[in-house]
């Protein structure tokens, strides 16, 4: 066996021989084993102590790695191998102690603590581990002690958790407290919190902390080191809890320095005690309110114990000191006392409960008590009777009154019987008694008075045969229900009279003892009156419904009129602004060639055009847009839009058309109807997010009924175009609001809510109406009814392509421009100059007429229609009075159709100017 000094160590680690001796002495004293692993040849050298620790036989021969690993516990072998690899890796060089188990030859398992150090050196040009040296220590006993301690701590913690106890320690000098996680829970804090003393003290209700501290000081003053109390505590959440505090005070230098103890939540016990106290109080209150007393009587000795309520039943003060025997003897009537004693004797001898009533005298008044008791035998053989007494005087008096009342009722019953017989004979209602087979058993004279049959004729036929054949089945069902014992409602039937006619009878029927009792009332006149009333009510309902439809239509028209008035004013100012924006964009595009700038100008143009479209939609639903109705073939319109619709719908929506042959011509604005179809198709597409089918159908329709809802068409001939989808559909609430302006079910930014309102406005302005059919999950169909044109539809020529015209060569012409808006006038003048005109500008009608009088030659008058003071129409009228041949062109953002009707569509250019519309109209008006 080699000594530690014999192990080859690095030169830097070698020490004098006396150091080696001390090392050997230290290892022996510490009972350490030493090992040395030569990683170059794979041999282990273990000291005697190391072999003993690992359960290897003694010897000096080197060991192999397989021998060392064979004594390692199989469960720990993967972990030790992983740690060994990290220690020998030059890139990691992990050097940590580790514990593992070894198994001796006799099966003994020991715990070992290993410390090692690795020596690295260059080998074949690479650095690697060449030697691993270390110590082994048997720590089985320490491990067992540690596990026992942890187990003890776990059991202690389990006991604390089971008892819901929290452990705490307070530093009294520094006013600091530490507690377990349960301590935080009991005080209403999170388990991982570290509450301060201020936070903890904040939970004491007013005066509670002072009381606890006073009790603690009093215990110390008495020399008691242990202190226990209960107190209320309010959690941060506001919940009030009851806590039990047990503490021991520790002293240093004669002064309290620390306190340790436990804390328990006793809220549940306090609540139970509170409920018990409440229950006892309620029991006492119930005894007093119910005049109930509790007693206990020991038969052998005659001793009795009474509750205070028992004394009060006998009219005796419970504090007067009178024994129950004396109160009983003096209070119970003598004639009843013997009966009570006999009843008690029988109850105790037979072991049966006691229940008896008797009388007592209380302040000169006789009262009745009811006594209930149960005999109980004690373990020593003594018999006791326990029970209650209740004052039942009122019940006795009520019983006597009830008996008197019954006698009176019996006399009344005899009288009522006589009166009923008289009523049966004289009643104007038909009383009858039938068997379940319908045969008559009895009938009063009213049957003969109402129906005209004598009693013999009536009894000759069953009841059902007298009933009208149409009512007989319902009456038979009533009879069957009565036979089954079911309650039946009142019913009516027609009964045959002696002269062959029929009378309405209202019946009430009940069954008892296999007989049916009938009461019939002649309701013929009421029935006729009810029929007349129903007819009158139907007529009234129709009138009310018609009035409601008219009122609903009027309200809708009033709303549209109010919005229309608003939009007319908005359209004028808004269109002026858009004219300025678009006009200046056109001018900038003529002088700017930079691509980026031109792209931004185009974005500005698109935004301005969207604003113009919004204005157009506002005017459409308010029915203030300018329309050019023509006789139109809607089949051709739908056919011409097929490709546009298919591209708009996308690949997920199938577009189908069903066009009726021989379709009437519709009187409608061609441009606007295309927008209507496109609007409805886009709405349908949005209602089919995962795809579906869109069907566009045309048809002729002749309506005769009045509209049921605002917006529906009235009577007349119509050409119908229907747009149907297979989308999500609409609820009744959404369908009722679908044409309201700005109402939309789409997400914010995905719809203005004007699409369908624009459709309704255009259609109603054209003289038609709209109907919507929809249900959730069943798709939507919108039918647009357009007025029939009496003339045949004429195909329109394609509009000539507009193009800029160059100025003529006959010299520049002169245009007089009048507009009250300077910016709009500036833009319009610039566009006129591009057409080769010299421009005279005027800001008002009066200024324009002055210029006209002074100018030698004016070739064209361009006037804003809506101007303050003198509008464009008045300016044109006075200008033509001066120069009758003067061409006039109006530019306007105004929407009053009545005012524009006197001008003519061929002389009106809408603001903002779109494409080359202004240039086309100017050249057409000026003849060049």
């Amino acid at each position: 066996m080699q000594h530690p000094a014999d192990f080859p160590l690095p030169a830097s680690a070698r020490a004098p021989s006396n150091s080696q001796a001390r090392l050997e002495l230290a290892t022996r004293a510490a009972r350490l084993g030493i090992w040395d692993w030569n990683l170059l040849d794979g041999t282990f050298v273990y000291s005697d102590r190391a072999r003993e620790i690992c359960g290897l036989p003694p010897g000096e021969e080197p060991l192999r790695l397989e021998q060392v690993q064979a004594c390692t516990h199989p469960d720990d072998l993967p972990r030790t191998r992983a740690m060994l690899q990290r220690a020998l890796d030059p890139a990691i060089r992990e050097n940590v102690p580790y514990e593992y188990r070894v198994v001796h030859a006799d099966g003994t398992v020991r715990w070992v603590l290993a410390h090692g150090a690795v020596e690295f050196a260059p080998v074949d040009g690479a650095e690697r581990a060449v030697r691993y040296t270390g110590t082994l220590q048997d720590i089985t006993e320490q491990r067992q002690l540690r596990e026992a301690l942890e187990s003890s701590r776990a059991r202690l913690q389990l006991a604390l958790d089971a008892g819901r106890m929290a452990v705490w320690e307070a530093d009294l000098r520094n006013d600091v407290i530490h507690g377990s996680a349960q301590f935080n829970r009991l005080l209403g804090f999170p388990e991982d919190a570290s509450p301060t003393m201020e936070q903890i003290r904040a939970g004491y209700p007013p005066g509670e902390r002072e009381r606890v501290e006073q009790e603690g000081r009093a215990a110390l003053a008495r020399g008691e080191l242990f202190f226990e109390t209960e107190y209320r505590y309010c959690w941060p959440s506001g919940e009030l809890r009851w806590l039990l505090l047990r503490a021991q005070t520790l002293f240093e230098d004669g002064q309290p320095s620390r306190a340790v103890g436990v804390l328990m939540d006793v809220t549940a016990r306090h609540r139970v005690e509170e409920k018990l106290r409440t229950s006892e109080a309620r029991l006492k209150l119930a005894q007093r309110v119910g005049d109930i007393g509790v007693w206990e009587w020991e038969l052998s000795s005659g001793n009795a114990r009474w509750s205070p309520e028992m004394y009060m039943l006998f009219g005796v003060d419970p504090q007067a000191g009178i024994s129950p025997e004396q109160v009983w003897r003096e209070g119970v009537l003598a004639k009843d006392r013997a009966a009570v004693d006999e009843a008690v004797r029988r109850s105790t001898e037979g072991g049966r409960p006691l229940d008896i009533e008797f009388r007592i005298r209380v302040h000169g008044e006789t009262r009745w008590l009811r006594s209930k008791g149960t005999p109980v035998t004690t373990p020593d053989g003594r018999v006791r009777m326990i029970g209650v007494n209740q004052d039942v005087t009122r019940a006795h008096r009520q019983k006597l009154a009830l008996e008197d009342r019954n006698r009176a009722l019996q006399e009344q019953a005899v009288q009522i019987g006589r009166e009923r017989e008289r009523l049966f004979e004289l009643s104007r209602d038909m009383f009858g008694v039938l068997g379940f087979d319908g045969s008559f058993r009895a009938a009063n004279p009213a049957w003969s008075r109402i129906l005209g049959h004598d009693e013999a004729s009536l009894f000759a036929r069953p009841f059902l045969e007298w009933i009208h054949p149409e009512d007989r089945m319902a009456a038979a069902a009533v009879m069957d229900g009565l036979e089954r014992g079911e309650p039946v409602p009142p019913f009516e039937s027609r009964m045959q009279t002696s002269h062959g006619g029929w009378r309405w009878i209202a019946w009430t029927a009940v069954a008892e003892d296999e007989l049916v009792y009938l009461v019939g009332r002649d309701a013929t006149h009421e029935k006729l009156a009810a029929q007349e009333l129903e007819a009158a009510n139907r007529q009234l309902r129709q009138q009310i419904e018609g009035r409601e439809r008219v009122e609903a239509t009027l309200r809708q028209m009033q709303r549209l009129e109010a919005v229309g008035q608003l939009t007319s004013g908005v359209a004028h100012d808004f269109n002026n602004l858009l004219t300025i924006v678009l006009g200046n964009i056109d001018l900038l595009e003529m002088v700017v060639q930079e691509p980026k700038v031109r792209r931004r100008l185009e974005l500005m143009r698109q935004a301005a055009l969207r604003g113009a479209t919004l204005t157009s939609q506002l005017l459409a639903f308010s029915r203030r847009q300018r329309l050019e109705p023509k006789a139109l073939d809607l089949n051709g319109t739908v056919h011409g839009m097929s490709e546009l619709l298919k591209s708009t719908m996308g690949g997920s929506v199938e577009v189908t058309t069903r066009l009726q042959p021989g379709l009437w011509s519709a009187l409608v604005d061609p441009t606007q109807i295309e927008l209507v179809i496109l609007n409805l198709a886009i709405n349908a597409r949005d209602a089919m997010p995962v795809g579906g089918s869109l069907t566009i159908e045309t048809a002729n329709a002749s309506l005769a009924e009045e509209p049921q809802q605002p917006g529906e068409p009235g009577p007349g001939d119509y050409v119908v175009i229907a747009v149907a989808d297979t989308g999500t559909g609409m609820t009744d609430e959404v369908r009722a609001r679908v044409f309201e302006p700005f109402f939309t079910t789409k997400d914010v930014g995905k719809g203005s809510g004007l699409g369908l309102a624009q459709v309704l406005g255009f259609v109603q302005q054209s003289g038609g109406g709209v109907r919507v059919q929809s249900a959730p999950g069943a798709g939507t169909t919108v039918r647009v009814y357009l007025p029939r044109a009496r003339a045949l539809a004429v195909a329109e020529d394609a509009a000539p392509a507009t193009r800029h015209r160059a100025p003529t060569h006959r010299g520049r012409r002169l245009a007089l421009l009048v507009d009250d808006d300077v910016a709009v006038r500036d833009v319009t003048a610039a566009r006129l100059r591009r057409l080769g005109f010299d421009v005279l500008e005027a800001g008002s009608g009066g200024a324009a007429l002055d210029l006209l009088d002074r100018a030698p030659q004016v070739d064209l008058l361009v006037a804003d229609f809506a101007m303050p003071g003198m509008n464009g129409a008045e300016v044109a009228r006075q200008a033509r009075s001066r120069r009758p041949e003067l061409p006039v062109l109006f530019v306007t953002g105004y929407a009053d159709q009545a005012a524009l009707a006197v001008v003519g569509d061929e002389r009106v250019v809408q603001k903002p100017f779109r494409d080359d519309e202004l240039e086309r109209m100017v050249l057409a008006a000026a003849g060049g």
Side-chain angles (χ1 to χ4, degrees):
M1 177 66 189
Q2 290 180 308
H3 295 290
D6 297 331
F7 291 133
L9 300 174
S12 61
R14 292 176 186 160
S17 59
N18 58 348
S19 297
Q20 295 177 355
R22 287 196 296 273
L23 175 60
E24 180 178 1
L25 181 61
T27 56
R28 289 178 181 177
R31 296 182 60 79
L32 296 175
I34 301 177
W35 49 271
D36 183 20
W37 182 13
N38 189 330
L39 297 171
L40 297 179
D41 58 12
T43 60
F44 282 85
V45 176
Y46 267 39
S47 67
D48 291 342
R49 178 57 184 160
R51 287 174 176 264
E52 179 185 352
I53 291 173
C54 294
L56 298 172
E60 299 182 357
E61 72 281 0
L63 301 172
R64 306 297 299 177
L65 178 60
E66 294 78 8
Q67 294 174 281
V68 175
Q69 291 182 343
C71 67
T72 303
H73 195 285
D75 293 344
D76 296 343
L77 192 57
R79 179 170 54 84
T80 57
R81 284 176 177 172
M83 297 183 68
L84 181 62
Q85 290 176 357
R86 291 195 296 272
L88 301 181
D89 190 341
I92 301 177
R93 303 192 183 194
E94 184 176 87
N95 185 13
V96 295
Y98 56 95
E99 298 178 2
Y100 66 97
R101 290 168 291 180
V102 296
V103 182
H104 292 189
D106 60 357
T108 304
V109 178
R110 308 290 294 179
W111 276 93
V112 177
L113 174 64
H115 290 265
V118 182
E119 178 183 353
F120 295 89
V123 177
D124 296 333
E127 188 173 22
R128 56 171 289 187
V130 298
R131 204 173 201 87
Y132 194 12
T133 307
T135 63
L136 297 178
Q137 183 180 4
D138 189 329
I139 59 169
T140 303
E141 286 74 16
Q142 296 94 316
R143 183 86 181 197
Q144 292 173 346
L145 290 174
R146 187 171 63 191
E147 291 177 351
L149 179 59
E150 292 176 353
S151 176
S152 176
R153 289 177 177 173
R155 288 194 298 272
L156 176 60
Q157 186 62 44
L158 182 62
L160 291 174
D161 292 342
R164 296 181 59 83
M165 291 188 294
V167 180
W168 56 271
E169 179 178 357
D171 185 344
L172 302 179
R173 294 178 176 177
N174 297 316
D175 199 22
V176 177
I177 190 169
H178 300 284
S180 61
Q182 180 69 10
F183 180 75
N184 286 350
R185 287 197 296 269
L186 292 183
L187 296 182
F189 295 101
E191 292 185 6
D192 56 351
S194 300
T196 64
M197 290 299 293
E198 289 77 8
Q199 290 175 315
I200 294 174
R201 288 173 178 148
Y204 286 96
E208 195 73 353
R209 181 171 65 89
E210 293 77 5
R211 180 184 64 80
V212 173
E213 292 177 350
Q214 179 61 31
E215 292 182 7
R217 287 192 292 269
L220 288 177
R222 294 192 299 268
E224 299 174 358
L225 300 181
F226 291 95
F227 164 63
E228 178 177 326
T229 187
E230 294 181 3
Y231 63 93
R232 293 170 299 143
Y233 191 82
C234 187
W235 283 1
S237 63
E239 182 178 353
L240 187 66
R241 311 291 296 181
W242 276 93
L243 302 179
L244 171 63
L245 173 69
R246 292 193 177 107
Q248 178 181 3
T249 305
L250 304 178
F251 290 82
E252 290 183 9
D253 301 330
Q255 296 296 325
S257 61
R258 289 187 305 130
V260 296
V262 296
L263 193 67
M264 295 178 61
D265 191 321
V266 292
T267 305
R269 175 170 62 78
H270 268 269
R271 289 175 178 172
V272 170
E273 292 174 351
E274 180 64 25
K275 289 181 179 179
L276 180 59
R277 287 192 294 269
T278 303
S279 177
E280 292 175 349
R282 288 176 178 172
L283 177 60
K284 291 181 179 180
L285 179 61
Q287 290 177 1
R288 292 182 181 179
V289 173
D291 291 331
I292 298 174
V294 180
W295 53 267
E296 183 177 348
W297 187 12
E298 189 175 282
L299 302 181
S300 59
S301 63
N303 294 330
R305 288 191 293 274
W306 284 6
S307 69
E309 289 76 18
M310 273 290 293
Y311 285 96
M312 296 171 64
L313 288 178
F314 281 80
V316 177
D317 184 359
Q319 307 298 326
I322 304 175
S323 67
E325 293 82 359
Q326 181 181 350
V327 175
W328 175 265
R329 187 172 56 254
E330 296 176 355
V332 179
L333 270 64
K335 61 176 65 176
D336 292 349
R337 193 182 310 140
V340 173
D341 292 342
E342 178 61 21
V344 172
R345 185 188 63 80
R346 289 195 306 268
S347 175
T348 55
E349 291 178 354
R352 296 187 301 271
L354 171 69
D355 190 349
I356 189 173
E357 294 183 357
F358 56 91
R359 291 165 294 175
I360 63 173
R361 295 290 293 178
V362 179
H363 304 310
E365 178 187 3
T366 300
R367 302 193 67 82
W368 281 89
L369 297 184
R370 183 174 185 178
S371 183
K372 288 188 175 183
T374 300
V376 176
T377 303
T378 62
D380 57 1
R382 291 182 297 172
V383 179
R384 292 184 300 157
M385 181 72 74
I386 300 175
V388 296
N389 281 7
Q390 183 178 12
D391 190 322
V392 293
T393 304
R394 181 180 299 177
H396 264 271
R397 292 173 179 172
Q398 291 175 348
K399 180 181 178 182
L400 294 175
L402 182 60
E403 291 175 351
D404 294 340
R405 178 62 176 166
N406 287 338
R407 285 191 295 270
L409 288 176
Q410 289 175 358
E411 296 175 357
Q412 291 178 3
V414 174
Q415 180 64 24
I416 289 173
R418 290 193 293 267
E419 293 175 353
R420 285 182 177 177
E421 290 180 1
R422 189 64 175 164
L423 177 64
F424 185 80
E425 296 294 332
L426 300 179
S427 174
R428 300 179 64 85
D429 291 337
M430 300 161 59
F431 292 170
V433 181
L434 308 176
F436 284 139
D437 59 356
S439 61
F440 280 92
R441 305 296 175 85
N444 69 337
W447 290 75
S448 298
R449 287 195 298 270
I450 295 175
L451 301 179
H453 306 294
D454 58 29
E455 184 173 321
S457 301
L458 185 66
F459 281 36
R461 296 166 57 185
F463 169 70
L464 293 178
E465 292 187 8
W466 292 105
I467 295 179
H468 193 286
E470 295 179 0
D471 304 336
R472 195 171 296 164
M473 183 177 295
V478 171
M479 296 295 290
D480 292 340
L482 291 170
E483 187 174 0
R484 291 192 298 269
E486 300 173 356
V488 296
F491 66 100
E492 295 179 347
S493 66
R494 286 166 287 182
M495 301 292 291
Q496 188 177 17
T497 64
S498 59
H499 53 77
W502 302 92
R503 298 198 68 83
W504 280 97
I505 308 298
W507 298 103
T508 301
V510 295
E512 184 177 356
D513 297 333
E514 299 185 355
L515 293 176
V516 176
Y517 295 86
L518 285 172
V519 178
R521 179 175 53 82
D522 189 349
T524 305
H525 296 293
E526 296 177 6
K527 199 73 173 179
L528 294 175
Q531 292 174 354
E532 294 176 359
L533 179 60
E534 177 61 26
N537 286 338
R538 280 197 302 270
Q539 184 178 4
L540 180 60
R541 283 195 298 269
Q542 292 174 354
Q543 294 174 353
I544 292 175
E545 290 173 357
R547 180 173 180 176
E548 289 177 347
R549 288 194 298 269
V550 171
E551 290 177 350
T553 303
L554 178 60
R555 287 194 297 270
Q556 179 72 5
M557 294 175 62
Q558 289 173 342
R559 287 198 297 268
L560 291 175
E561 179 65 24
V563 178
Q565 292 175 358
L566 173 64
T567 54
S568 295
V570 171
H572 177 264
D573 294 339
F574 194 46
N575 284 334
N576 276 346
L577 296 176
L578 293 175
T579 300
I580 298 169
V581 173
L582 288 171
N584 283 287
I585 290 174
D586 288 341
L587 295 176
L588 288 174
E589 286 181 338
M590 295 176 58
V591 300
V592 174
Q593 301 300 324
E594 175 64 31
K596 292 184 178 179
V597 177
R598 292 184 67 86
R599 185 165 60 253
R600 293 190 178 277
L601 290 174
E602 180 60 25
L603 294 176
M604 294 167 63
R605 176 190 295 277
Q606 295 301 323
L609 290 176
R610 284 198 297 270
T613 301
L614 178 60
T615 305
S616 176
Q617 289 178 326
L618 288 169
L619 294 174
F621 86 80
S622 63
R623 296 181 290 174
R624 291 176 178 264
Q625 62 180 346
R626 296 174 62 249
L627 299 180
E628 299 179 8
K630 299 178 181 179
L632 185 66
D633 179 11
L634 288 184
N635 284 348
T637 301
V638 174
H639 182 73
M641 295 181 64
S642 297
E643 294 301 324
L644 173 62
L645 291 174
K646 290 178 181 179
S647 62
T648 303
M649 294 299 100
S652 62
V653 177
E654 179 184 2
V655 180
T656 305
T657 59
R658 297 175 183 171
L659 307 180
Q660 176 176 327
L663 188 69
W664 296 335
S665 298
L667 186 61
V668 67
D669 187 314
T671 302
Q672 294 298 328
I673 190 58
E674 290 182 357
L675 292 177
V676 166
I677 297 172
L678 187 60
N679 236 328
L680 295 177
I682 291 174
N683 275 355
R685 180 198 63 190
D686 294 342
M688 298 181 288
V690 296
S693 62
L694 176 72
T695 303
I696 301 179
E697 184 176 357
T698 60
N700 298 326
S702 295
L703 304 182
E705 67 275 9
E706 293 294 331
Q708 300 300 313
Q709 299 291 337
E712 292 189 351
D717 292 339
Y718 296 95
V719 183
V720 182
I721 181 166
V723 179
D725 64 67
T726 59
T728 55
M730 293 181 284
T731 62
D732 293 340
E733 293 77 10
V734 173
R735 190 171 67 251
R737 302 184 58 193
V738 71
F739 290 115
E740 290 185 10
F742 306 111
F743 173 75
T744 179
T745 59
K746 300 176 183 178
D747 296 337
V748 176
K750 294 186 177 181
S752 65
L754 289 174
L756 290 178
Q758 178 187 10
V759 170
L760 180 62
F762 160 72
V763 173
Q764 289 187 320
Q765 188 177 356
S766 300
V770 182
R771 287 180 178 175
V772 179
Q773 178 182 352
S774 183
T780 300
T781 300
V782 180
R783 289 183 173 84
V784 175
Y785 293 79
L786 299 169
R788 177 184 179 182
R790 297 306 172 182
L792 295 178
V794 179
E796 295 189 10
D797 296 333
T802 59
R803 56 178 61 90
H804 295 289
R805 293 199 179 190
T808 62
H809 297 286
R810 61 183 180 181
R812 298 184 66 83
R813 291 174 291 178
L814 183 62
L816 174 58
L817 172 63
V818 53
D819 197 313
D820 62 304
D821 191 308
V822 177
V824 175
R825 193 169 68 243
D826 181 66
V827 169
T828 308
R831 300 189 75 153
L832 291 173
R833 292 187 183 99
R834 286 170 53 195
L835 294 175
F837 285 90
D838 290 328
V839 181
L840 294 177
E841 299 183 33
S844 65
L849 295 175
D850 290 341
L851 289 176
L852 184 64
D853 291 338
R854 295 197 304 268
Q857 176 65 36
V858 174
D859 300 299
L860 176 67
L861 173 62
V862 180
D864 184 16
F865 187 83
M867 293 185 297
M870 184 184 299
N871 63 24
E874 180 65 25
V875 173
R877 184 164 50 255
Q878 296 195 27
R880 282 188 169 175
S881 67
R882 292 171 170 80
R883 301 186 184 184
E885 302 300 327
L886 178 64
V888 178
L889 186 67
F890 295 98
V891 292
T892 183
Y894 196 54
D896 191 333
Q897 300 302 304
L900 292 174
V902 300
V903 176
D905 294 338
E906 71 280 357
R907 289 292 182 263
V908 177
V909 181
Q910 288 285 350
K911 299 178 185 177
F913 310 134
R914 304 197 182 194
D915 299 329
D916 295 331
E917 184 180 12
L918 176 65
E919 287 79 354
R920 179 173 58 82
M921 298 290 284
V922 166
L923 294 177

